[in-house]
Amino acid sequence: MRFMPALFLCLLSAPVAAQDISLSLPIGCDPGKDCWAFQLPDVDPGPDRMDYACGKLAYDGHDGTDIGLASLSEIQRGVPVFAAAPGTVRGVRDGMQDALVSEIGKEAVKDRECGNGVLIEHAGGWQTQYCHMRKGSVSVRAGQTIEAGALLGQVGLSGSTDFAHLEFIVRKDGKTIDPFRGLEGGPECGPGRKPLWDAAARQALAYGPAPYRIGVAPRAPKYDEVLKDRFPGDILSGTAEAIVLWAEFNGLAPGDILHMTLTGPDGRQMASHSETMAAAKVRQFLFIGKKRTEPAWPKGDYAGLASVERKGGPGAGTRELRYSFTVR
């Protein structure tokens, strides 16, 4: 986000000496398991996009770290947002609806793209901003002094967004800073010499692709159906017209190999698919399956597997997600 909402305009007192800041993870989830870093600050000064590892997990001008949940329904479990460092609350907004901006339109959030959120001022000219929080969840007030780890609210879907996430923005003297690189910078590709994240946050937000969600549907699913959790169960009717395994992947780079396999209760492979990414994608949705040709599917437990392999560079390795469901 490039703007500074009027509600969040900084109220600076006399200048203070510059100092380092240490940032803890600002969200109460387990990255890589129930939340993921979907987009990072854009460090490319021109019209292109590039994250700190020279990947494409950003869009042009994006200045925050987006830590997202698997689906919209995850908002309901109340994922907490925490202050990443001690400071003073300088601005809050609450009361905006949790809604897909693709459905309500950008005019509905004009000049309020951050949605419900909190702005905190820290010593040394530092600020942190927390966006897209859940309606009615903001639990601090302007002028309040808080410690690191203080509860600010919950992750939501307010403002200009189409997925449930916290956007976390860091500024120094009004200038956006990438917390993965810090003030001193470092190698052309990779973390800076003095990243702002503390050790635990750096480990939690480790760079790399991942399959982050998997499920089954009784027919070929549309992505918006998956986004809205139209196929939440792990039990399928024996008379379903098809058995379709779907999966979502994030953080993909050219050359990443995606693989999916669907296996029946007899251990035989029903369907499989592999593809190599030709371009970078923040998210990718795939599905495989088989149509029913007999009166009913064999009853029993079925298995699905989604994996992504990166052969070199930042985030190299193989990450997989397994899934089981039952046909009755």
Side-chain angles (χ1 to χ4, degrees), residues 239-257:
T239 58
E241 66 179 71
I243 294 180
V244 180
L245 181 75
W246 56 263
E248 294 184 84
F249 303 79
N250 86 297
L252 302 175
D256 287 351
I257 302 171

PDB file of all heavy atoms in Angstrom, residues 239-257:
ATOM      1  N   THR A 239     -22.405 -41.997  -4.472  1.00  0.00           N
ATOM      2  CA  THR A 239     -23.054 -41.687  -5.754  1.00  0.00           C
ATOM      3  C   THR A 239     -22.610 -40.334  -6.309  1.00  0.00           C
ATOM      4  O   THR A 239     -23.233 -39.828  -7.252  1.00  0.00           O
ATOM      5  CB  THR A 239     -24.582 -41.707  -5.597  1.00  0.00           C
ATOM      6  OG1 THR A 239     -24.965 -40.761  -4.587  1.00  0.00           O
ATOM      7  CG2 THR A 239     -25.071 -43.089  -5.209  1.00  0.00           C
ATOM      8  N   ALA A 240     -21.564 -39.742  -5.761  1.00  0.00           N
ATOM      9  CA  ALA A 240     -21.046 -38.478  -6.289  1.00  0.00           C
ATOM     10  C   ALA A 240     -20.690 -38.647  -7.760  1.00  0.00           C
ATOM     11  O   ALA A 240     -20.178 -39.697  -8.170  1.00  0.00           O
ATOM     12  CB  ALA A 240     -19.824 -38.042  -5.501  1.00  0.00           C
ATOM     13  N   GLU A 241     -20.948 -37.632  -8.579  1.00  0.00           N
ATOM     14  CA  GLU A 241     -20.687 -37.751 -10.012  1.00  0.00           C
ATOM     15  C   GLU A 241     -19.197 -37.882 -10.325  1.00  0.00           C
ATOM     16  O   GLU A 241     -18.808 -38.395 -11.373  1.00  0.00           O
ATOM     17  CB  GLU A 241     -21.259 -36.556 -10.771  1.00  0.00           C
ATOM     18  CG  GLU A 241     -20.605 -35.228 -10.467  1.00  0.00           C
ATOM     19  CD  GLU A 241     -21.211 -34.081 -11.277  1.00  0.00           C
ATOM     20  OE1 GLU A 241     -22.365 -33.694 -11.007  1.00  0.00           O
ATOM     21  OE2 GLU A 241     -20.496 -33.581 -12.172  1.00  0.00           O
ATOM     22  N   ALA A 242     -18.373 -37.413  -9.398  1.00  0.00           N
ATOM     23  CA  ALA A 242     -16.926 -37.510  -9.589  1.00  0.00           C
ATOM     24  C   ALA A 242     -16.237 -37.440  -8.234  1.00  0.00           C
ATOM     25  O   ALA A 242     -16.842 -37.042  -7.229  1.00  0.00           O
ATOM     26  CB  ALA A 242     -16.420 -36.396 -10.496  1.00  0.00           C
ATOM     27  N   ILE A 243     -14.993 -37.838  -8.202  1.00  0.00           N
ATOM     28  CA  ILE A 243     -14.132 -37.599  -7.045  1.00  0.00           C
ATOM     29  C   ILE A 243     -13.007 -36.697  -7.529  1.00  0.00           C
ATOM     30  O   ILE A 243     -12.228 -37.082  -8.411  1.00  0.00           O
ATOM     31  CB  ILE A 243     -13.569 -38.901  -6.461  1.00  0.00           C
ATOM     32  CG1 ILE A 243     -14.694 -39.747  -5.880  1.00  0.00           C
ATOM     33  CG2 ILE A 243     -12.530 -38.596  -5.390  1.00  0.00           C
ATOM     34  CD1 ILE A 243     -14.220 -41.068  -5.280  1.00  0.00           C
ATOM     35  N   VAL A 244     -12.967 -35.494  -6.984  1.00  0.00           N
ATOM     36  CA  VAL A 244     -12.015 -34.492  -7.454  1.00  0.00           C
ATOM     37  C   VAL A 244     -11.176 -33.993  -6.283  1.00  0.00           C
ATOM     38  O   VAL A 244     -11.700 -33.480  -5.300  1.00  0.00           O
ATOM     39  CB  VAL A 244     -12.735 -33.301  -8.118  1.00  0.00           C
ATOM     40  CG1 VAL A 244     -11.713 -32.283  -8.603  1.00  0.00           C
ATOM     41  CG2 VAL A 244     -13.595 -33.785  -9.281  1.00  0.00           C
ATOM     42  N   LEU A 245      -9.885 -34.174  -6.390  1.00  0.00           N
ATOM     43  CA  LEU A 245      -8.949 -33.672  -5.396  1.00  0.00           C
ATOM     44  C   LEU A 245      -8.459 -32.295  -5.855  1.00  0.00           C
ATOM     45  O   LEU A 245      -7.998 -32.141  -6.980  1.00  0.00           O
ATOM     46  CB  LEU A 245      -7.760 -34.623  -5.267  1.00  0.00           C
ATOM     47  CG  LEU A 245      -6.691 -34.235  -4.244  1.00  0.00           C
ATOM     48  CD1 LEU A 245      -7.177 -34.516  -2.821  1.00  0.00           C
ATOM     49  CD2 LEU A 245      -5.389 -34.995  -4.521  1.00  0.00           C
ATOM     50  N   TRP A 246      -8.585 -31.287  -4.989  1.00  0.00           N
ATOM     51  CA  TRP A 246      -8.112 -29.948  -5.334  1.00  0.00           C
ATOM     52  C   TRP A 246      -7.047 -29.491  -4.333  1.00  0.00           C
ATOM     53  O   TRP A 246      -6.984 -29.979  -3.210  1.00  0.00           O
ATOM     54  CB  TRP A 246      -9.276 -28.943  -5.377  1.00  0.00           C
ATOM     55  CG  TRP A 246     -10.099 -28.851  -4.116  1.00  0.00           C
ATOM     56  CD1 TRP A 246     -11.282 -29.483  -3.867  1.00  0.00           C
ATOM     57  CD2 TRP A 246      -9.792 -28.087  -2.945  1.00  0.00           C
ATOM     58  NE1 TRP A 246     -11.737 -29.157  -2.606  1.00  0.00           N
ATOM     59  CE2 TRP A 246     -10.843 -28.302  -2.017  1.00  0.00           C
ATOM     60  CE3 TRP A 246      -8.748 -27.250  -2.589  1.00  0.00           C
ATOM     61  CZ2 TRP A 246     -10.856 -27.709  -0.761  1.00  0.00           C
ATOM     62  CZ3 TRP A 246      -8.757 -26.650  -1.330  1.00  0.00           C
ATOM     63  CH2 TRP A 246      -9.814 -26.884  -0.439  1.00  0.00           C
ATOM     64  N   ALA A 247      -6.214 -28.573  -4.770  1.00  0.00           N
ATOM     65  CA  ALA A 247      -5.154 -28.055  -3.904  1.00  0.00           C
ATOM     66  C   ALA A 247      -4.797 -26.642  -4.312  1.00  0.00           C
ATOM     67  O   ALA A 247      -4.945 -26.251  -5.483  1.00  0.00           O
ATOM     68  CB  ALA A 247      -3.916 -28.951  -3.954  1.00  0.00           C
ATOM     69  N   GLU A 248      -4.318 -25.885  -3.340  1.00  0.00           N
ATOM     70  CA  GLU A 248      -3.808 -24.534  -3.579  1.00  0.00           C
ATOM     71  C   GLU A 248      -2.334 -24.483  -3.180  1.00  0.00           C
ATOM     72  O   GLU A 248      -1.934 -25.058  -2.163  1.00  0.00           O
ATOM     73  CB  GLU A 248      -4.593 -23.505  -2.771  1.00  0.00           C
ATOM     74  CG  GLU A 248      -6.042 -23.361  -3.195  1.00  0.00           C
ATOM     75  CD  GLU A 248      -6.747 -22.268  -2.426  1.00  0.00           C
ATOM     76  OE1 GLU A 248      -6.624 -21.089  -2.824  1.00  0.00           O
ATOM     77  OE2 GLU A 248      -7.384 -22.573  -1.414  1.00  0.00           O
ATOM     78  N   PHE A 249      -1.554 -23.776  -3.988  1.00  0.00           N
ATOM     79  CA  PHE A 249      -0.123 -23.617  -3.758  1.00  0.00           C
ATOM     80  C   PHE A 249       0.201 -22.128  -3.689  1.00  0.00           C
ATOM     81  O   PHE A 249      -0.481 -21.315  -4.304  1.00  0.00           O
ATOM     82  CB  PHE A 249       0.683 -24.236  -4.904  1.00  0.00           C
ATOM     83  CG  PHE A 249       0.404 -25.694  -5.169  1.00  0.00           C
ATOM     84  CD1 PHE A 249      -0.731 -26.090  -5.874  1.00  0.00           C
ATOM     85  CD2 PHE A 249       1.276 -26.680  -4.724  1.00  0.00           C
ATOM     86  CE1 PHE A 249      -0.984 -27.431  -6.139  1.00  0.00           C
ATOM     87  CE2 PHE A 249       1.036 -28.028  -4.983  1.00  0.00           C
ATOM     88  CZ  PHE A 249      -0.101 -28.404  -5.693  1.00  0.00           C
ATOM     89  N   ASN A 250       1.260 -21.784  -2.971  1.00  0.00           N
ATOM     90  CA  ASN A 250       1.662 -20.380  -2.948  1.00  0.00           C
ATOM     91  C   ASN A 250       3.175 -20.250  -3.077  1.00  0.00           C
ATOM     92  O   ASN A 250       3.931 -21.201  -2.884  1.00  0.00           O
ATOM     93  CB  ASN A 250       1.180 -19.680  -1.678  1.00  0.00           C
ATOM     94  CG  ASN A 250       2.142 -19.838  -0.518  1.00  0.00           C
ATOM     95  OD1 ASN A 250       2.391 -20.935  -0.057  1.00  0.00           O
ATOM     96  ND2 ASN A 250       2.681 -18.733  -0.034  1.00  0.00           N
ATOM     97  N   GLY A 251       3.603 -19.031  -3.440  1.00  0.00           N
ATOM     98  CA  GLY A 251       5.026 -18.705  -3.492  1.00  0.00           C
ATOM     99  C   GLY A 251       5.780 -19.371  -4.608  1.00  0.00           C
ATOM    100  O   GLY A 251       6.949 -19.722  -4.438  1.00  0.00           O
ATOM    101  N   LEU A 252       5.170 -19.523  -5.778  1.00  0.00           N
ATOM    102  CA  LEU A 252       5.771 -20.314  -6.845  1.00  0.00           C
ATOM    103  C   LEU A 252       6.680 -19.489  -7.750  1.00  0.00           C
ATOM    104  O   LEU A 252       6.422 -18.311  -8.016  1.00  0.00           O
ATOM    105  CB  LEU A 252       4.678 -20.976  -7.673  1.00  0.00           C
ATOM    106  CG  LEU A 252       3.724 -21.884  -6.876  1.00  0.00           C
ATOM    107  CD1 LEU A 252       2.605 -22.387  -7.764  1.00  0.00           C
ATOM    108  CD2 LEU A 252       4.482 -23.043  -6.252  1.00  0.00           C
ATOM    109  N   ALA A 253       7.734 -20.135  -8.223  1.00  0.00           N
ATOM    110  CA  ALA A 253       8.708 -19.514  -9.118  1.00  0.00           C
ATOM    111  C   ALA A 253       8.832 -20.358 -10.380  1.00  0.00           C
ATOM    112  O   ALA A 253       8.488 -21.545 -10.378  1.00  0.00           O
ATOM    113  CB  ALA A 253      10.062 -19.393  -8.424  1.00  0.00           C
ATOM    114  N   PRO A 254       9.334 -19.781 -11.477  1.00  0.00           N
ATOM    115  CA  PRO A 254       9.561 -20.581 -12.686  1.00  0.00           C
ATOM    116  C   PRO A 254      10.462 -21.778 -12.380  1.00  0.00           C
ATOM    117  O   PRO A 254      11.472 -21.651 -11.693  1.00  0.00           O
ATOM    118  CB  PRO A 254      10.258 -19.582 -13.625  1.00  0.00           C
ATOM    119  CG  PRO A 254       9.798 -18.247 -13.160  1.00  0.00           C
ATOM    120  CD  PRO A 254       9.672 -18.362 -11.671  1.00  0.00           C
ATOM    121  N   GLY A 255      10.065 -22.936 -12.872  1.00  0.00           N
ATOM    122  CA  GLY A 255      10.832 -24.157 -12.636  1.00  0.00           C
ATOM    123  C   GLY A 255      10.323 -24.993 -11.481  1.00  0.00           C
ATOM    124  O   GLY A 255      10.691 -26.172 -11.364  1.00  0.00           O
ATOM    125  N   ASP A 256       9.481 -24.426 -10.617  1.00  0.00           N
ATOM    126  CA  ASP A 256       8.894 -25.225  -9.539  1.00  0.00           C
ATOM    127  C   ASP A 256       8.025 -26.325 -10.134  1.00  0.00           C
ATOM    128  O   ASP A 256       7.276 -26.097 -11.092  1.00  0.00           O
ATOM    129  CB  ASP A 256       8.042 -24.354  -8.613  1.00  0.00           C
ATOM    130  CG  ASP A 256       8.873 -23.458  -7.714  1.00  0.00           C
ATOM    131  OD1 ASP A 256      10.109 -23.626  -7.685  1.00  0.00           O
ATOM    132  OD2 ASP A 256       8.281 -22.596  -7.042  1.00  0.00           O
ATOM    133  N   ILE A 257       8.117 -27.529  -9.565  1.00  0.00           N
ATOM    134  CA  ILE A 257       7.369 -28.675 -10.071  1.00  0.00           C
ATOM    135  C   ILE A 257       6.218 -28.992  -9.115  1.00  0.00           C
ATOM    136  O   ILE A 257       6.442 -29.305  -7.940  1.00  0.00           O
ATOM    137  CB  ILE A 257       8.280 -29.904 -10.220  1.00  0.00           C
ATOM    138  CG1 ILE A 257       9.440 -29.586 -11.153  1.00  0.00           C
ATOM    139  CG2 ILE A 257       7.481 -31.096 -10.752  1.00  0.00           C
ATOM    140  CD1 ILE A 257      10.508 -30.669 -11.187  1.00  0.00           C
TER     141      ILE A 257
END
